[in-house]
Amino acid sequence: MSDHVYKTIEITGSSKTSIEEAVRTAISRAQESVHNLRWFEVNNIRGHLEDGEIGHWQATIKLGITLDPPQ
Amino acid sequence: MSDHVYKTIEITGSSKTSIEEAVRTAISRAQESVHNLRWFEVNNIRGHLEDGEIGHWQATIKLGITLDPPQ
Amino acid sequence: MSDHVYKTIEITGSSKTSIEEAVRTAISRAQESVHNLRWFEVNNIRGHLEDGEIGHWQATIKLGITLDPPQ
Amino acid sequence: MSDHVYKTIEITGSSKTSIEEAVRTAISRAQESVHNLRWFEVNNIRGHLEDGEIGHWQATIKLGITLDPPQ
Amino acid sequence: MSDHVYKTIEITGSSKTSIEEAVRTAISRAQESVHNLRWFEVNNIRGHLEDGEIGHWQATIKLGITLDPPQ
Amino acid sequence: MSDHVYKTIEITGSSKTSIEEAVRTAISRAQESVHNLRWFEVNNIRGHLEDGEIGHWQATIKLGITLDPPQ
Amino acid sequence: MSDHVYKTIEITGSSKTSIEEAVRTAISRAQESVHNLRWFEVNNIRGHLEDGEIGHWQATIKLGITLDPPQ
Amino acid sequence: MSDHVYKTIEITGSSKTSIEEAVRTAISRAQESVHNLRWFEVNNIRGHLEDGEIGHWQATIKLGITLDPPQ
Amino acid sequence: MSDHVYKTIEITGSSKTSIEEAVRTAISRAQESVHNLRWFEVNNIRGHLEDGEIGHWQATIKLGITLDPPQ
Amino acid sequence: MSDHVYKTIEITGSSKTSIEEAVRTAISRAQESVHNLRWFEVNNIRGHLEDGEIGHWQATIKLGITLDPPQ
Amino acid sequence: MSDHVYKTIEITGSSKTSIEEAVRTAISRAQESVHNLRWFEVNNIRGHLEDGEIGHWQATIKLGITLDPPQ
Amino acid sequence: MSDHVYKTIEITGSSKTSIEEAVRTAISRAQESVHNLRWFEVNNIRGHLEDGEIGHWQATIKLGITLDPPQ
């Protein structure tokens, strides 16, 4: 959101409890392989039903990442 | 999401407490009349205000239902 | 629009005279088989041409229906 | 597409071979329970991958159905 | 949602804890300057990341306001 | 639509009789508090049902307003 | 809507009285230069305000035209 | 897709057998009256049902046409 | 934007230097064959890369044209 | 974009020379009456043609404004 | 579509024969560099014309990929 | 745009001077780490305001990249 260059990736996380936890799962997994996460936007909220109950919430986010300046 | 045929219906539930509860209310009511609910997608989140407070959260979902094979 | 659960169906009505009449035709037919119609939203307005004149207006609406509580 | 009243339902079919076959599967299943199917519109084309091969094509269609006049 | 005239404004609130709290923050601030808030629709859910954690949730809502009849 | 600066507001009017009257109700109320209305665009047409009849038509419009030059 | 090939053009008509008349104005003008008009879809409804009154309604339609078979 | 000026037209073709054939029918008819067709984009896939079978597939495409330089 | 009937065409122009020049190229070519151009709307901005540099900007516009009254 | 509450307004500016100047005109006029402008998003780029030349560029922006904390 | 975290990439394949083959080309190339492909969604169908014939079909898909758990 | 397979990435660049420069910044940074850039599409134009002036223009582009054939 400043004068950096950043790229956007799309990632989906899931949670048995809430939409917020599904978003956190996606972000948590993303930062194991990319650095400089800056912002996210929730683009899709879905879920799976098992025996009439919500088995998982799924949140798909766009994730903005500042690009490290190259050496 | 497999090789079944399924149909999609649109249903809206409400809750005084959270978006997740409004989704559960919709699903809970739907399964009184249809079987084989498989997935949902949250398409709209709204709410009503009463005296400046949120009276109800409303979540509109698309609900995927596997069609029973006919006899 | 309150704390009920409701479902949404999509229905198209037609009229030789106006958009409003095409909407009324759709609603009138719907209430022969479903109860508790609450609101509608006009999603599409089309028409057919016959000899360069408008033969029919067609209005496609989403129709919100309160679900009766089950016994 | 004429002066009838019709409703629209959303249904998803699948096929191992092609998009067209996935559409036919959806239509074929729908007409076991509803009559007077008139037209369809393909709204979504998806598929599942198994071992890097396309396991199923899935086509989601809106299906227009003329409502029988009530007696 | 009745026979009143109302206007719609767009407002964004934030919260460190949840989407629902971010919506409440927006509504709470809005009613300090406008009256007769009636409904809201959540149009966008975003957030900021600080050191790989969610620093703030942000919810952008459209807020429907009944216009007072003029004197 | 010329070289002026203008702003856009969103407003909803209602009418028991027609879409056009619902638009006029919105415009009529708006000009009690703002000047220099120039154009509108109809963004949403809805309605409420009472006992299976259309109780109110509702039209939501974007309304373009030329800004007075400041002194 | 049958097995013909047809093309679509976009045209805007206006009227001082109603949306329906604005659509008819567009169709009426179109058929002076093209034949075989089959259907239309209303894509945009706008209007101009003059002294706080609606000066013109404008309706933009897509117009489907059957192509004559070439000789 | 190069440094030419081109225009886009919308055209619909039909076929009893496949989506690809419906696209080819549209293109084939278009080039009887326009030259320099360059690319197409499939914007809509529909079909008609006759006795529960697909009577025609219909594909609506946008068709990009390089404009001949004027003399 | 007045009480005329007008049609809309879609046209794409290109430029090596700027978005504005790409729009001007499209308009300049259009008026060699049509008269009474009134307004445009930029619907798409693209470009081609050659050896990592922008070879051409491409702007796709909708172009509004007043229809001459027929004799 | 931080933990403030902000509102969004829509405003259109124009310029004889460029898209960027049309945006600046809108922002410049807005800050005569509102404070704490933070960001903008360009939602629409249009223009008017006079004698086949671009008379004005028009840029419609959404403008984010931090709300002053009330006393 | 389960409780995994997955990311989505966008990829375009082409084929001289059919839409399905263009999708397969995209998937086939993707799995040379990424593992655990799970599903796809067809987002765009285009093609190039050479001498009035379809030279290539192009299908752009979103491709869902389960992320391997990190060590 | 030919018979290659290509992927699409989303990247945002910024500039103090113009939209075109913001696009160039994004492309310039991208080609430090990926090869075979072919085309771009501008999907979003935003900016930040500092003391009522435009501090940065931001352009978000989709960038099409030909995939090298694997060895």
Side-chain angles (χ1 to χ4, degrees), chain F residues 23-56:
Chain F
V23 173
R24 282 193 196 97
T25 303
I27 292 167
S28 178
R29 179 62 185 82
Q31 68 183 335
E32 289 170 354
S33 50
V34 285
H35 299 79
N36 298 320
L37 310 181
R38 297 300 181 198
W39 57 267
F40 64 91
E41 179 176 348
V42 180
N43 279 0
N44 193 253
I45 300 170
R46 303 174 67 99
H48 292 142
L49 297 165
E50 296 166 6
D51 301 323
E53 300 288 320
I54 296 175
H56 295 92

Side-chain angles (χ1 to χ4, degrees), chain A residues 19 42-47 57-58, chain B residues 8-13 19 22-23 26-27 39-47 58-64, chain C residues 6 8 10 39 41 43 62, chain D residues 10 43-44 46 60 62, chain E residues 40-45 60, chain F residues 46:
Chain A
I19 298 166
V42 180
N43 280 0
N44 194 253
I45 301 170
R46 302 174 68 100
W57 294 87
Q58 280 186 316
Chain B
T8 318
I9 61 171
E10 190 175 281
I11 195 161
T12 302
I19 298 166
V23 173
I27 291 167
W39 57 268
F40 65 91
E41 179 176 348
V42 180
N43 280 359
N44 194 252
I45 300 170
R46 301 174 69 99
Q58 280 186 316
T60 299
I61 60 175
K62 292 185 81 166
L63 193 49
Chain C
Y6 61 92
T8 318
E10 190 174 281
W39 57 268
E41 179 176 347
N43 280 0
K62 293 185 80 166
Chain D
E10 189 174 283
N43 280 0
N44 194 252
R46 302 174 68 100
T60 300
K62 293 184 81 166
Chain E
F40 64 91
E41 180 176 348
V42 180
N43 279 0
N44 194 253
I45 300 170
T60 299
Chain F
R46 303 174 67 99

Side-chain angles (χ1 to χ4, degrees), chain I residues 7-26:
Chain I
K7 69 171 176 173
T8 319
I9 62 171
E10 190 174 281
I11 196 161
T12 302
S14 65
S15 158
K16 289 181 186 300
T17 57
S18 72
I19 299 166
E20 283 87 347
E21 273 304 301
V23 173
R24 282 193 195 97
T25 303

Side-chain angles (χ1 to χ4, degrees), chain H:
Chain H
M1 295 295 177
S2 67
D3 59 340
H4 297 294
V5 175
Y6 60 92
K7 68 170 177 175
T8 318
I9 61 171
E10 190 175 280
I11 196 162
T12 301
S14 65
S15 158
K16 289 181 185 299
T17 57
S18 71
I19 298 166
E20 284 87 348
E21 273 304 300
V23 173
R24 281 192 197 97
T25 303
I27 291 167
S28 178
R29 179 63 185 82
Q31 67 182 336
E32 289 170 356
S33 50
V34 286
H35 298 80
N36 298 320
L37 311 181
R38 297 300 181 196
W39 57 267
F40 64 91
E41 179 176 348
V42 180
N43 280 0
N44 194 253
I45 300 170
R46 303 174 67 100
H48 291 142
L49 298 164
E50 296 167 6
D51 300 322
E53 300 288 319
I54 297 174
H56 295 93
W57 293 88
Q58 279 186 315
T60 300
I61 60 174
K62 292 183 81 166
L63 193 49
I65 301 166
T66 310
L67 292 181
D68 293 322
Q71 282 79 35

Side-chain angles (χ1 to χ4, degrees), chain F residues 1-9 39 62 67-70, chain J residues 10-14 25-26 29-30 32 46 48 56 58 60:
Chain F
M1 297 292 176
S2 67
D3 59 339
H4 297 294
V5 176
Y6 59 91
K7 67 170 178 175
T8 319
I9 62 171
W39 57 267
K62 292 184 82 166
L67 292 181
D68 292 323
Chain J
E10 190 175 281
I11 195 162
T12 302
S14 65
T25 303
R29 179 61 185 84
E32 289 170 355
R46 302 173 69 100
H48 291 142
H56 295 93
Q58 280 187 316
T60 299

Side-chain angles (χ1 to χ4, degrees), chain G residues 6-67:
Chain G
Y6 60 91
K7 69 170 177 175
T8 319
I9 61 170
E10 191 174 280
I11 196 161
T12 302
S14 65
S15 157
K16 290 182 185 299
T17 57
S18 72
I19 298 165
E20 284 87 347
E21 273 304 301
V23 173
R24 281 192 196 98
T25 302
I27 292 167
S28 177
R29 179 63 185 81
Q31 68 183 335
E32 289 171 354
S33 51
V34 287
H35 299 80
N36 298 319
L37 311 181
R38 297 300 182 197
W39 55 268
F40 64 90
E41 180 176 349
V42 180
N43 279 0
N44 193 252
I45 300 170
R46 301 173 70 99
H48 292 141
L49 297 165
E50 297 166 5
D51 299 324
E53 301 288 319
I54 297 175
H56 294 93
W57 294 88
Q58 280 186 316
T60 299
I61 61 174
K62 291 184 82 166
L63 193 49
I65 303 166
T66 309
L67 292 181

Side-chain angles (χ1 to χ4, degrees), chain A residues 46, chain B residues 1-9 39 62-67, chain D residues 9-15 19 21-30 40-48 56-63:
Chain A
R46 302 174 68 100
Chain B
M1 296 292 176
S2 69
D3 59 339
H4 298 293
V5 175
Y6 60 91
K7 68 171 176 175
T8 318
I9 61 171
W39 57 268
K62 292 185 81 166
L63 193 49
I65 301 166
T66 309
L67 292 181
Chain D
I9 61 171
E10 189 174 283
I11 195 161
T12 302
S14 64
S15 158
I19 298 165
E21 272 305 301
V23 173
R24 282 194 195 95
T25 303
I27 291 167
S28 177
R29 178 64 185 82
F40 64 91
E41 179 176 347
V42 180
N43 280 0
N44 194 252
I45 300 170
R46 302 174 68 100
H48 292 142
H56 294 94
W57 293 88
Q58 280 187 314
T60 300
I61 60 175
K62 293 184 81 166
L63 193 49

